Amino acid sequence: MALKARALYNFQSENKEEISIQENEELVIFSENSLDGWLQGQNSRGETGLFPASYVEILRSRSGSNYTDYSSSPAGSPGHDSFYTAPPNPGIPYQGSFEDDDDDDWDDWDDACTVVEEPRSAPGTNGHPSPSLQYPAAYGHHQHAGYHPKPALERQDSMSSSKRGSVVGRNLNRFSCFVRSGVEAFILGDVPLMSKIAEVYCIEMGSKGPQWRANPHPFICSVEDPTKQTKFKGIKSYISYKLTPSNINSPVYRRYKHFDWLYNRLLHKFTVISVPHLPEKQATGRFEEDFIEKRKRRLILWMDHMTSHPVLSQYEGFQHFLCCRDEKQWKLGKRRAEKDEMVGASFLLTIQIPTEHQDLQDVEDRVDAFKAFSKKMDDSVLQLTNVASELVRKHVGGFRKEFQKLGNAFQAISHSFHMDPPYSSDALNNAISHTGKTYETVGEMFAEQPKNDLFLMLDTLSLYQGLLSNFPDIIHLQKGAFAKVKESQRMSDEGRMDQEEADGIRKRCRVVGFALQAEMNHFHERRVADFKRMMQSYLKQQIVFYQRVSQQLEKTLRMYDNL
Amino acid sequence: MALKARALYNFQSENKEEISIQENEELVIFSENSLDGWLQGQNSRGETGLFPASYVEILRSRSGSNYTDYSSSPAGSPGHDSFYTAPPNPGIPYQGSFEDDDDDDWDDWDDACTVVEEPRSAPGTNGHPSPSLQYPAAYGHHQHAGYHPKPALERQDSMSSSKRGSVVGRNLNRFSCFVRSGVEAFILGDVPLMSKIAEVYCIEMGSKGPQWRANPHPFICSVEDPTKQTKFKGIKSYISYKLTPSNINSPVYRRYKHFDWLYNRLLHKFTVISVPHLPEKQATGRFEEDFIEKRKRRLILWMDHMTSHPVLSQYEGFQHFLCCRDEKQWKLGKRRAEKDEMVGASFLLTIQIPTEHQDLQDVEDRVDAFKAFSKKMDDSVLQLTNVASELVRKHVGGFRKEFQKLGNAFQAISHSFHMDPPYSSDALNNAISHTGKTYETVGEMFAEQPKNDLFLMLDTLSLYQGLLSNFPDIIHLQKGAFAKVKESQRMSDEGRMDQEEADGIRKRCRVVGFALQAEMNHFHERRVADFKRMMQSYLKQQIVFYQRVSQQLEKTLRMYDNL
């Protein structure tokens, strides 16, 4: 049975793999599964090829599927509710994979009504840094989220379709995050300026270039006491974490699913900001002590990164998450955050940039340097992660085993020395036996040591893997914006565009450029602090460890003194 | 072609696997390869079975082999020369394996005339402690040396054959070291008392039972400066060691072959004494630095054991080895040692025992306890050897590699941090890079560490493997003697033997029992001292090592202080 779809907007083919589609045109879809946000199908003129999945709605008979309601009315809800939020149904083909990835007790009946509205991110984008960030594959990183709750731009597209012929062409290629994120629309001036903009995020010029203005009310927040809770008479259980923001000093209790809700809000809202990934989910054993400990440690680092970020730390949804203690208020606040209009492309409207002139080519060069750096850093972080993971395995396995075998062998020697009593020297035998036990202890110390040093290193590295994996897309936004500036300037030079319009594009491109540089600056600042702390902590713990080993051995050596 | 042999002496079958042979009887040999000192063949009466290889000579046509001369005149040399020394040719089937084992430049032309007379021990007895000493297989340990230079007793056998009917029967079973060592002959009173016995080794009663009287002129001897020497214009080269006995304080220079000569003299002479094995030979790379170092370390331990032994340290051949600096004197001394009559069974004549009564059953019990102990100790020494050897491999391989990989990963991090210069923190980058180098150094420290600790442990363990592997045979001698006492007492009780003769057997058995107990005592005394030293040294070096590692890390940590 051929699957059909209706084109919601015009799309002009720009590559030979692509086909053009017209608004309202009926299309045949070859497969519901989109590839990097693209669907394959045939248009009414018999051309076959690719077109953006977000430009069409899949048509179904009402009796055929529960999802027909949604797909037949993609922008069905009235008012702002559906304007920047994703369609309530994230898309049929992804339903399965979301569930596969969902290990946390998502389907909580008591607040399911608010929960089911939350689109979840696809695997690989939500707390799942790819093990190796490979350019250019990483550019497609976010594109897997074909129905990802990134702001849909359909309304702007259709609104501004009349202008399209005269302005810079839209580039729809496989690296389409520029388009899907709304940044293209923003650059082209298609994102309408809201009358009231409550939020303002300022970028200032610092010693190392543009930087976010610091949060005027800085705070930190502890994550403590993961506690197993049950409900429905023990049928369902979950872990709650105690969060205490320093500016309130009164704790709230949050579950991973609350973190996940917040995380998705952040992804949704903060274009060009590298949102720290949540610690990864785990399919099994999520109540095991080690897993809970690991999640806690990583939530601490995540929280640390959130509170340290001048923009993210001020986000109203984050404040709500940190402070709300009333259930009714909680639901209201959630709804408010979900109805936030200043998300995605509109978020860019909230950014105030300095008046300083920046040569766009200089910005481009800086970004290129950062891109090369982040690629290299990602490689080296992966390398260190692999080495540290292997060291953990060695500590728990090989190292422990070797020392235990040595300990056992000493004990065997001592045991044999006991076997000829008249000649046996009890003091020596005891000392050797004790040496054996000491080496067994040393083996245990080796096995326990990763908890003191390598785990923290791996936690930090994991956070950075997540942050680094965000940058290819962010850099791509800036690249796309820069290309638009060059194209508009050329068109203006050729008299095919008003200089005013070209200047508008250049001005908006500056916003993207400043924001990216502020992010780069923030990233570097945090990186220096985090890696300094990571290295110091590792070395300190290593020193303590080797000192403890030698102290153990010294105590043992003393047993031989009076023989 | 059937191989023939001629019986040199009468042999009475005592087990169903054995056949009796008569002096001068012609025999068919099924294989030249003896099994534990036994040959399989057929006698002139058509009986097939086993008989002692040393009781026959293999017959060959003169044209068939170069060795016919030797095999047709097994006791060909006149006088004492061949009395206690083994036949010049150690037996055709073994020729090959001796050469296989000979890695040292044995065929030195300048003193080949004295050297070729030296029979060499078979593999497994000369400096080759079996990797695992297994009872009862170990009882057959020395029996592989079918033509081993243990004193041949053929002359006594034939001399005393007239008495044999009336006295205790000779037991010739597979565990025949009792017979071949001459101890049976000694017990039965067949070893003639020489008129002049210059040497006397006294056994006294100590707090833990019989012990050797201490060497009245104790000394130690250093082994130093292994130096590569060449001769014949560099065609041949060898390593010489500088030996400086403390009682002379003037060095001599000796090669491994001189040690080997001495070692064979010791094996030859000192029945019931556990002669320390020489460090093992090595087929290839004997001039490699590591091998030379290892041999030196082990020669030091060997020497230490020699000088500490009350009997071995006083041996004239040893003194000659340690002191002689004149080539002519050297050859004379060698010849003298080789003509020594007080070897093997006769050595037992040189032992003076206390008059204290010892209940033979008590002695037996003590020996049994020691036997169980030594078996267990051998197991545990092997276990520790395996663990320590594996640890050496881990240190040089896995441990080093892990730390190097960690070091490399840190350096890669530092390298990536250099890539975005405006944001790069040189001090941090340098500190991380230095940390990387530190961990590479730590890796090297791990790889070098076995030289400081595990090697000495393995040296000591190797020495003890050798010493322990001697005991099954020594214990067997005592067991054989004890059985003779019981047998003679029974015969005396039944009136089939003079009480006087039975008393003589009991008296001589006491000598063996006292000697073994003195050896046990000495072994335990040394064991306690050696293992205390080994453990202390290991722990001290380990402590130093872990302290050095933590010091390295501390120095590195300080680089992060002023960031």
Side-chain angles (χ1 to χ4, degrees):
Chain A
M1 190 186 86
L3 200 59
K4 299 212 166 169
R6 187 174 64 86
L8 296 168
Y9 323 107
N10 293 338
F11 168 69
Q12 189 62 44
S13 153
E14 294 190 353
N15 291 305
K16 66 180 169 74
E17 293 88 0
E18 299 164 7
I19 54 171
S20 296
I21 57 176
Q22 309 291 331
E23 195 176 324
N24 286 318
E25 183 180 358
E26 198 168 276
L27 308 160
V28 177
I29 312 286
F30 296 163
S31 163
E32 283 185 48
N33 298 313
S34 77
L35 187 71
D36 289 350
W38 294 76
L39 286 172
Q40 202 169 15
Q42 190 175 36
N43 62 18
S44 57
R45 290 170 304 289
E47 295 165 341
T48 61
L50 300 166
F51 44 86
S54 57
Y55 275 54
V56 304
E57 59 172 344
I58 293 171
L59 299 173
R60 284 171 209 276
S61 63
R62 277 190 183 264
S63 60
S65 162
N66 295 329
Y67 304 109
T68 320
D69 285 344
Y70 300 109
S71 55
S72 62
S73 57
S77 310
H80 294 304
D81 210 350
S82 70
F83 190 87
Y84 280 120
T85 53
N89 186 309
I92 297 141
Y94 293 91
Q95 197 71 12
S97 64
F98 291 148
E99 287 184 355
D100 285 345
D101 197 41
D102 183 8
D103 77 299
D104 225 314
D105 41 340
W106 190 266
D107 294 327
D108 252 345
W109 302 319
D110 58 345
D111 51 1
C113 54
T114 60
V115 167
V116 289
E117 287 175 28
E118 289 314 306
R120 289 160 239 164
S121 64
T125 60
N126 177 5
H128 285 264
S130 18
S132 171
L133 172 62
Q134 294 294 333
Y135 292 64
Y139 275 113
H141 194 59
H142 272 176
Q143 296 159 19
H144 285 281
Y147 298 93
H148 191 275
K150 281 272 178 175
L153 287 166
E154 292 79 0
R155 288 258 301 250
Q156 280 93 0
D157 281 356
S158 56
M159 276 165 64
S160 60
S161 58
S162 59
K163 290 166 95 182
R164 206 171 295 160
S166 66
V167 297
V168 175
R170 304 188 165 253
N171 59 338
L172 266 167
N173 55 34
R174 295 191 170 273
F175 305 125
S176 60
C177 74
F178 176 53
V179 177
R180 283 185 295 104
S181 69
V183 174
E184 183 187 50
F186 169 79
I187 291 292
L188 298 181
D190 288 350
V191 176
L193 201 64
M194 306 293 163
S195 51
K196 41 147 189 81
I197 300 184
E199 304 164 85
V200 175
Y201 298 104
C202 288
I203 294 174
E204 313 164 328
M205 285 307 283
S207 61
K208 288 180 178 173
Q211 63 190 28
W212 297 110
R213 181 179 291 167
N215 183 345
H217 308 293
F219 67 99
I220 54 172
C221 179
S222 62
V223 180
E224 297 166 307
D225 300 344
T227 309
K228 190 170 175 176
Q229 311 276 3
T230 56
K231 54 177 157 182
F232 302 116
K233 295 175 182 159
I235 293 170
K236 288 189 73 69
S237 57
Y238 58 90
I239 304 294
S240 86
Y241 300 85
K242 178 181 162 190
L243 314 183
T244 315
S246 59
N247 52 350
I248 294 175
N249 230 345
S250 167
V252 292
Y253 295 87
R254 295 287 181 254
R255 299 168 51 182
Y256 185 80
K257 69 163 194 171
H258 301 132
F259 280 94
D260 206 39
W261 170 82
L262 172 61
Y263 176 70
N264 279 295
R265 283 299 100 203
L266 297 166
L267 283 188
H268 203 61
K269 181 175 176 79
F270 293 103
T271 319
V272 309
I273 286 182
S274 179
V275 176
H277 293 200
L278 279 182
E280 61 203 277
K281 292 178 176 180
Q282 180 169 299
T284 55
R286 68 195 159 96
F287 294 123
E288 282 170 21
E289 218 174 293
D290 287 353
F291 172 69
I292 292 167
E293 262 308 303
K294 179 179 172 183
R295 178 171 274 185
K296 189 190 95 175
R297 290 194 320 267
R298 296 194 169 187
L299 285 177
I300 290 171
L301 283 187
W302 182 87
M303 184 62 83
D304 186 43
H305 227 78
M306 284 296 296
T307 57
S308 77
H309 196 289
V311 177
L312 299 179
S313 63
Q314 295 185 66
Y315 172 49
E316 196 194 342
F318 184 43
Q319 291 296 333
H320 177 66
F321 170 85
L322 291 177
C323 307
C324 182
R325 265 185 309 281
D326 175 79
E327 195 174 341
K328 202 178 158 195
Q329 288 298 319
W330 172 251
K331 286 184 184 178
L332 287 173
K334 267 184 81 175
R335 187 76 65 180
R336 197 163 55 247
E338 286 154 16
K339 287 186 177 171
D340 184 1
E341 293 178 1
M342 304 313 286
V343 300
S346 294
F347 165 70
L348 296 170
L349 299 172
T350 67
I351 297 174
Q352 277 194 358
I353 60 170
T355 52
E356 270 101 331
H357 171 74
Q358 276 200 315
D359 188 89
L360 280 188
Q361 191 54 53
D362 287 351
V363 175
E364 193 66 9
D365 292 346
R366 281 199 176 193
V367 170
D368 283 344
F370 184 82
K371 184 177 159 185
F373 151 77
S374 63
K375 163 87 178 75
K376 194 87 185 173
M377 177 166 172
D378 190 64
D379 290 347
S380 64
V381 164
L382 176 67
Q383 183 184 346
L384 185 53
T385 299
N386 290 341
V387 170
S389 304
E390 182 60 26
L391 260 180
V392 170
R393 274 191 289 278
K394 286 276 157 65
H395 269 268
V396 176
F399 290 1
R400 168 165 46 186
K401 224 177 286 168
E402 291 305 320
F403 287 108
Q404 278 181 339
K405 282 198 289 188
L406 186 62
N408 291 340
F410 283 142
Q411 303 225 42
I413 292 278
S414 168
H415 186 68
S416 76
F417 284 6
H418 270 113
M419 288 193 62
D420 205 8
Y423 304 102
S424 134
S425 158
D426 283 345
L428 176 66
N429 299 354
N430 290 342
I432 295 176
S433 171
H434 188 79
T435 310
K437 284 182 204 123
T438 300
Y439 275 98
E440 286 182 10
T441 304
V442 169
E444 287 309 315
M445 285 168 65
F446 265 88
E448 291 296 313
Q449 183 56 13
K451 290 185 186 161
N452 302 323
D453 52 24
L454 287 166
F455 281 4
L456 187 68
M457 182 185 285
L458 284 167
D459 295 338
T460 304
L461 295 175
S462 170
L463 181 77
Y464 273 83
Q465 280 189 308
L467 291 172
L468 286 164
S469 74
N470 294 332
F471 276 108
D473 276 0
I474 298 174
I475 289 169
H476 182 65
L477 300 182
Q478 192 275 340
K479 292 271 172 201
F482 190 67
K484 286 284 172 268
V485 170
K486 284 198 274 197
E487 196 180 344
S488 64
Q489 194 52 55
R490 195 170 56 244
M491 289 175 81
S492 167
D493 291 349
E494 291 166 3
R496 295 197 287 130
M497 187 189 271
D498 296 346
Q499 185 58 42
E500 194 188 340
E501 195 177 345
D503 287 348
I505 287 174
R506 178 180 296 270
K507 197 183 123 210
R508 288 185 292 273
C509 180
R510 274 168 47 83
V511 173
V512 176
F514 267 98
L516 173 52
Q517 287 175 84
E519 269 305 280
M520 285 157 48
N521 212 335
H522 180 71
F523 177 85
H524 278 302
E525 205 175 83
R526 293 293 304 171
R527 168 184 68 76
V528 168
D530 284 344
F531 275 76
K532 179 187 169 182
R533 189 177 52 188
M534 180 187 92
M535 296 301 290
Q536 277 183 314
S537 157
Y538 183 72
L539 284 169
K540 273 178 197 160
Q541 291 297 331
Q542 284 265 291
I543 290 163
V544 168
F545 174 69
Y546 288 114
Q547 282 173 345
R548 278 176 56 218
V549 171
S550 69
Q551 280 157 12
Q552 284 278 351
L553 299 176
E554 268 168 3
K555 247 191 290 173
T556 304
L557 177 60
R558 260 174 256 138
M559 292 192 70
Y560 292 84
D561 285 349
N562 301 319
L563 299 187
Chain B
M1 188 188 87
L3 199 60
K4 298 214 168 170
R6 187 173 65 88
L8 297 168
Y9 321 108
N10 293 339
F11 168 69
Q12 189 62 43
S13 153
E14 294 190 352
N15 290 305
K16 67 181 166 72
E17 294 89 1
E18 299 165 6
I19 54 170
S20 297
I21 56 177
Q22 308 291 333
E23 193 175 328
N24 284 319
E25 182 178 357
E26 196 168 276
L27 308 161
V28 176
I29 311 287
F30 297 162
S31 163
E32 282 186 48
N33 299 312
S34 77
L35 186 71
D36 290 348
W38 293 77
L39 286 172
Q40 202 169 14
Q42 190 174 36
N43 64 15
S44 57
R45 289 170 303 289
E47 297 164 341
T48 61
L50 300 166
F51 45 86
S54 58
Y55 276 53
V56 304
E57 61 173 342
I58 293 171
L59 300 174
R60 286 171 207 274
S61 62
R62 276 188 184 265
S63 59
S65 164
N66 295 328
Y67 304 109
T68 319
D69 286 346
Y70 299 108
S71 55
S72 63
S73 55
S77 310
H80 293 304
D81 211 351
S82 69
F83 190 86
Y84 281 121
T85 54
N89 184 308
I92 297 142
Y94 293 91
Q95 197 72 10
S97 64
F98 291 150
E99 286 183 359
D100 285 344
D101 196 40
D102 182 8
D103 76 299
D104 226 312
D105 41 343
W106 189 267
D107 294 326
D108 253 343
W109 305 318
D110 58 345
D111 50 1
C113 53
T114 62
V115 168
V116 290
E117 288 177 26
E118 288 316 306
R120 289 162 239 162
S121 63
T125 59
N126 177 5
H128 287 265
S130 12
S132 170
L133 172 62
Q134 295 295 334
Y135 289 67
Y139 275 113
H141 195 60
H142 272 175
Q143 295 159 19
H144 286 281
Y147 299 93
H148 191 276
K150 283 273 176 171
L153 287 166
E154 292 80 358
R155 288 257 304 248
Q156 279 95 357
D157 281 356
S158 58
M159 276 166 62
S160 60
S161 58
S162 60
K163 289 165 94 183
R164 205 172 296 158
S166 66
V167 297
V168 175
R170 299 182 171 257
N171 57 337
L172 264 167
N173 57 36
R174 293 182 174 277
F175 305 123
S176 59
C177 74
F178 176 54
V179 177
R180 281 184 295 104
S181 69
V183 174
E184 182 188 50
F186 169 78
I187 291 292
L188 297 181
D190 286 351
V191 177
L193 200 66
M194 306 291 162
S195 50
K196 42 150 188 81
I197 300 183
E199 304 163 85
V200 175
Y201 299 105
C202 287
I203 294 173
E204 312 164 329
M205 285 307 283
S207 60
K208 290 181 176 172
Q211 62 189 31
W212 297 111
R213 180 179 292 168
N215 183 345
H217 308 292
F219 66 98
I220 55 171
C221 179
S222 62
V223 180
E224 297 166 306
D225 299 345
T227 310
K228 190 170 175 175
Q229 311 275 3
T230 56
K231 54 179 162 182
F232 303 116
K233 295 172 181 162
I235 293 171
K236 287 189 75 67
S237 58
Y238 58 90
I239 305 293
S240 86
Y241 300 84
K242 179 180 161 191
L243 314 183
T244 316
S246 59
N247 52 350
I248 294 175
N249 230 343
S250 167
V252 292
Y253 295 87
R254 296 286 180 257
R255 299 168 52 183
Y256 184 79
K257 68 164 195 170
H258 299 132
F259 279 93
D260 206 39
W261 169 81
L262 172 60
Y263 175 70
N264 279 294
R265 283 298 100 204
L266 295 167
L267 284 188
H268 202 62
K269 181 175 175 80
F270 293 105
T271 320
V272 308
I273 286 182
S274 178
V275 176
H277 293 199
L278 279 182
E280 62 204 275
K281 293 178 175 179
Q282 179 169 299
T284 56
R286 67 195 159 97
F287 293 122
E288 281 169 22
E289 216 174 293
D290 286 351
F291 172 69
I292 292 166
E293 260 311 302
K294 179 179 172 183
R295 177 170 275 185
K296 189 190 96 176
R297 291 193 319 266
R298 296 194 169 187
L299 284 176
I300 289 170
L301 283 187
W302 183 86
M303 184 61 85
D304 185 43
H305 227 78
M306 283 296 295
T307 58
S308 77
H309 196 288
V311 176
L312 299 178
S313 64
Q314 294 186 67
Y315 172 50
E316 195 192 344
F318 184 43
Q319 291 295 333
H320 175 65
F321 170 85
L322 291 177
C323 309
C324 182
R325 266 184 307 281
D326 176 78
E327 194 174 341
K328 202 180 159 196
Q329 288 297 320
W330 171 252
K331 287 185 184 179
L332 287 174
K334 269 183 80 174
R335 185 77 65 182
R336 198 163 56 245
E338 286 153 14
K339 287 186 177 170
D340 184 1
E341 292 177 2
M342 305 314 288
V343 299
S346 293
F347 163 70
L348 296 170
L349 298 172
T350 68
I351 297 173
Q352 277 194 358
I353 61 170
T355 52
E356 270 100 330
H357 171 74
Q358 276 199 317
D359 186 272
L360 278 188
Q361 191 53 51
D362 288 350
V363 175
E364 194 66 8
D365 293 345
R366 283 198 175 195
V367 169
D368 283 343
F370 183 82
K371 184 178 157 184
F373 151 78
S374 63
K375 162 85 179 76
K376 194 88 184 173
M377 176 168 173
D378 190 64
D379 290 346
S380 64
V381 164
L382 177 67
Q383 183 183 346
L384 185 54
T385 299
N386 290 340
V387 170
S389 305
E390 183 59 26
L391 261 180
V392 169
R393 274 192 290 277
K394 285 276 156 64
H395 269 267
V396 176
F399 290 2
R400 166 164 45 187
K401 226 177 283 167
E402 291 306 319
F403 288 108
Q404 278 180 340
K405 282 197 290 188
L406 184 63
N408 291 340
F410 284 142
Q411 303 226 41
I413 292 278
S414 168
H415 187 67
S416 76
F417 284 6
H418 269 113
M419 287 193 64
D420 206 8
Y423 304 102
S424 135
S425 159
D426 283 346
L428 176 66
N429 299 354
N430 290 343
I432 295 176
S433 171
H434 188 79
T435 310
K437 283 182 205 125
T438 300
Y439 274 98
E440 286 182 9
T441 306
V442 169
E444 287 308 316
M445 284 167 65
F446 266 88
E448 290 295 313
Q449 183 54 14
K451 290 185 186 161
N452 302 323
D453 52 24
L454 287 166
F455 281 5
L456 186 67
M457 183 186 286
L458 284 167
D459 295 340
T460 304
L461 295 175
S462 169
L463 181 77
Y464 272 84
Q465 281 189 309
L467 290 171
L468 285 164
S469 74
N470 294 331
F471 276 107
D473 276 359
I474 298 174
I475 289 169
H476 181 65
L477 299 182
Q478 193 274 340
K479 293 272 174 198
F482 190 67
K484 287 281 173 267
V485 171
K486 284 200 273 196
E487 194 179 347
S488 65
Q489 194 53 53
R490 194 169 56 245
M491 288 177 81
S492 166
D493 291 348
E494 291 166 1
R496 296 195 287 128
M497 185 190 273
D498 295 346
Q499 187 57 42
E500 194 190 341
E501 195 178 344
D503 287 347
I505 287 174
R506 175 179 296 269
K507 198 182 122 209
R508 286 183 293 271
C509 180
R510 273 168 49 85
V511 172
V512 176
F514 268 97
L516 173 53
Q517 288 175 84
E519 269 306 280
M520 285 157 47
N521 211 336
H522 179 72
F523 177 84
H524 277 302
E525 203 175 85
R526 294 295 303 171
R527 168 184 68 76
V528 169
D530 284 345
F531 275 76
K532 180 189 169 181
R533 187 176 53 188
M534 180 187 91
M535 296 301 290
Q536 278 183 312
S537 157
Y538 183 73
L539 284 169
K540 273 179 197 160
Q541 291 297 330
Q542 284 264 292
I543 291 164
V544 168
F545 174 68
Y546 288 113
Q547 283 174 344
R548 278 175 57 219
V549 170
S550 68
Q551 281 158 13
Q552 284 277 352
L553 299 176
E554 270 169 2
K555 248 190 290 174
T556 304
L557 177 61
R558 260 174 255 138
M559 292 191 71
Y560 291 85
D561 286 347
N562 302 321
L563 299 186

